[in-house]
Amino acid sequence: MLEFLRGRDVLVAGWGVSGRSLIEPLRDIGARPVVTDSGQKALAEAAELGLETATGDDLSNPGALARFALVITSPGWRPDSPVLVSAVTEGIPVWGDVEFAWWVDQARLYGPVRKWLVITGTNGKTTTTQMTHSILRAAGIPSVACGNIGLPILDALRRSPGPQILAVELSSFQLHWAPSVRPEAGVVLNVAEDHLDWHGGLDAYAAAKARALMGRVGIVGLDDPVAASLARKSKARRTVGFRISVPADGELGVVDGKLLDRAFTKAAILAEVGDISAAGPAGVADALAAAALTRSIDVAPNFVKEGLQDHRVGPHRSALVRELGGVTFVDDSKATNPHAARSSILGHQHVIWIAGGQLKGAQIDDLVEEVAERLVAVVLFGRDAPAIATALARHAPDVPVVELGSGDDAGMGAELTSEFGGAEAVMDRAVHIAAGYARRGDTVLLAPAAASLDMFTDYTHRGRAFAAAVQALDEGDIGSPA
């Protein structure tokens, strides 16, 4: 499949982590990589490595793309990017880095073909991928977690000794550009409004996610209505589901606090809910998904249990920061949309909720209405704090709400951060106010329901600021409204 690239030029669109991972495999198959990127610094870096580069202006000239046998795009590049539109118009194939990695693996460029276990969904991808990898490690199977989780798939394939199984986290962007991938098993955890500006609507976004269901086994989250609906559209040879309640035949679920497999055996207990290091229903759902993926390749139940016991939740994903004065402080900065925040809040009974940022067009009312009874108080900041405050006024009018302000539309929340002395100072103020509303048994929860770039570098920066503010508290701050 890759022979057509030998001796030909290939355009690498985007000099990010995925773009860098393409260079050596392209050279190994005898292709000549040429790098394009919108940033001059990126192009300069590529040039320093001896790579040919091309600007967008260079490639906009008539016939400029005709030399390329293939364009490989970074996942963030939208389908309407001028270079990609021109390539399609001129009949030049456009692949994503995941599509290219799939064919590199099928060509056995770096050893025997691996089994791919693909994980996608709006929320819970990374936790499920980590849980899957932990189970595979417990079973003694050479494996690696890769893809959207940080390690490019191509870098994983080039490892020596190589893994037998890839636990591959894939975003909707990556799946959009990877139509050929046929995983050994793939799971769609859930589907909620996110990245609709990129895909053009929920239907296209869901269709991209559904590409995980095109291999030997397809797995869907039955508690999520959109994901469950994809079971009817699955092109996998076999499709099973999981739910956090009693499972039917052909499903995984929960009975009396135990994870039960009724899909890959008549009935097998896999683990206890107490074995799972991830709070609430979302953590249980992720564990069931990881169990389903690994059971689909005949990993024994005892290794599922051991792997889930060994797994520890990653930073900024419902991570316990501290317990102080009987109050629990939890960092779920990774909850960058309402769907993720919903799962996070439902994992706790009494919540002082810290939220806000960029909603990216997502609706917040349904979330607020569902979780209103769990809210003790709410502290808001960021660009779309007013929208969240309005929803709270409609659906939780008796819940105290402190709105610190909104960010500047120009970016980085200049108005808000200048008032309080920087993003970290805003977070410090929010945490102190939240602690003041807290009583023994409550949870102060950072689950913003929004993206972070109006004020912070990214969600990890936001989470670190929260953790630092929490560590600075003393018991006198608990129950003492600021």
Side-chain angles (χ1 to χ4, degrees):
M1 179 63 184
L2 299 177
E3 287 299 317
F4 78 104
L5 299 179
R6 190 175 302 279
R8 301 289 304 280
D9 293 333
V10 174
L11 183 64
V12 174
W15 186 243
V17 173
S18 61
R20 292 179 180 86
S21 74
L22 293 165
I23 302 306
E24 290 308 314
L26 283 169
R27 287 171 168 166
D28 287 344
I29 62 178
R32 294 186 296 268
V34 179
V35 176
T36 187
D37 193 282
S38 60
Q40 290 301 314
K41 182 178 179 181
L43 292 179
E45 181 182 309
E48 287 177 4
L49 296 175
L51 294 164
E52 183 182 347
T53 63
T55 66
D57 288 342
D58 295 334
L59 298 171
S60 66
N61 295 324
L65 290 173
R67 59 185 281 206
F68 297 108
L70 175 69
V71 175
I72 307 179
T73 178
S74 294
W77 281 46
R78 293 167 56 121
D80 59 2
S81 299
V83 169
L84 304 185
V85 171
S86 296
V88 171
T89 301
E90 296 183 28
I92 301 167
V94 177
W95 293 1
D97 63 296
V98 174
E99 177 82 356
F100 180 69
W102 173 260
W103 288 113
V104 164
D105 192 26
Q106 297 302 301
R108 296 176 170 83
L109 187 62
Y110 299 115
V113 175
R114 279 71 170 189
K115 290 182 179 179
W116 292 37
L117 302 180
V118 166
I119 300 98
T120 195
T122 303
N123 299 298
K125 295 186 294 296
T126 297
T127 298
T128 302
T129 303
Q130 291 170 333
M131 286 177 169
T132 301
H133 187 216
S134 183
I135 294 169
L136 294 170
R137 283 201 310 265
I141 300 172
S143 60
V144 66
C146 57
N148 195 56
I149 199 170
L151 175 70
I153 301 169
L154 288 164
D155 288 353
L157 293 174
R158 295 175 63 220
R159 285 189 169 185
S160 181
Q164 294 176 9
I165 308 286
L166 303 181
V168 187
E169 177 186 329
L170 294 182
S171 69
S172 59
F173 306 155
Q174 290 169 312
L175 285 162
H176 173 89
W177 295 115
S180 301
V181 172
R182 300 290 184 272
E184 183 71 11
V187 62
V188 179
L189 302 168
N190 45 62
V191 181
E193 289 186 349
D194 203 15
H195 305 302
L196 302 190
D197 52 347
W198 197 97
H199 290 279
L202 184 60
D203 288 346
Y205 175 60
K209 295 291 189 188
R211 285 186 168 171
L213 309 175
M214 298 178 69
R216 186 178 67 85
V217 178
I219 303 162
V220 297
L222 297 172
D223 294 320
D224 182 272
V226 181
S229 73
L230 296 179
R232 298 189 297 271
K233 304 174 184 177
S234 171
K235 296 182 180 179
R237 279 178 272 170
R238 182 188 180 196
T239 302
V240 303
F242 64 90
R243 62 177 78 243
I244 60 172
S245 55
V246 177
D249 288 341
E251 299 176 359
L252 289 85
V254 179
V255 178
D256 296 330
K258 296 178 174 59
L259 276 63
L260 187 69
D261 174 13
R262 299 189 65 189
F264 302 101
T265 187
K266 185 175 181 179
I269 295 173
L270 303 177
E272 306 277 344
V273 168
D275 292 330
I276 300 167
S277 169
V284 175
D286 294 344
L288 286 165
L293 286 166
T294 51
R295 291 289 293 143
S296 76
I297 58 170
D298 298 322
V299 172
N302 60 301
F303 293 126
V304 174
K305 180 179 179 67
E306 183 180 339
L308 291 176
Q309 288 176 328
D310 289 345
H311 170 263
R312 289 295 176 266
V313 68
H316 317 302
R317 293 173 172 84
S318 292
L320 173 65
V321 174
R322 186 183 186 190
E323 293 181 2
L324 180 67
V327 176
T328 302
F329 292 82
V330 175
D331 168 16
D332 198 9
S333 184
K334 187 65 170 64
T336 57
N337 55 61
H339 187 270
R342 170 189 178 275
S343 297
S344 191
I345 295 169
L346 291 178
H348 309 277
Q349 289 299 315
H350 306 289
V351 175
I352 297 89
W353 183 28
I354 300 178
Q358 298 164 295
L359 287 172
K360 301 177 292 183
Q363 300 302 307
I364 199 76
D365 282 76
D366 288 349
L367 164 65
V368 172
E369 186 174 14
E370 183 174 1
V371 303
E373 292 185 356
R374 295 175 184 251
L375 299 179
V376 175
V378 181
V379 184
L380 300 172
F381 54 70
R383 180 176 300 172
D384 289 328
I388 304 174
T390 300
L392 286 160
R394 279 196 290 264
H395 303 295
D398 297 328
V399 174
V401 177
V402 178
E403 186 179 348
L404 295 182
S406 60
D408 181 1
D409 287 344
M412 294 307 293
E415 176 185 322
L416 178 59
T417 55
S418 62
E419 178 183 352
F420 289 98
E424 289 81 1
V426 176
M427 183 63 79
D428 185 71
R429 178 68 173 156
V431 167
H432 273 81
I433 293 171
Y437 280 105
R439 301 293 186 272
R440 183 172 295 274
D442 291 347
T443 299
V444 173
L445 174 65
L446 173 67
S452 58
L453 298 181
D454 57 334
M455 290 174 57
F456 298 90
T457 304
D458 52 25
Y459 77 85
T460 65
H461 177 202
R462 181 169 61 187
R464 292 194 304 272
F466 173 78
V470 169
Q471 295 298 345
L473 294 172
D474 59 44
E475 288 207 26
D477 295 313
I478 303 298
S480 302

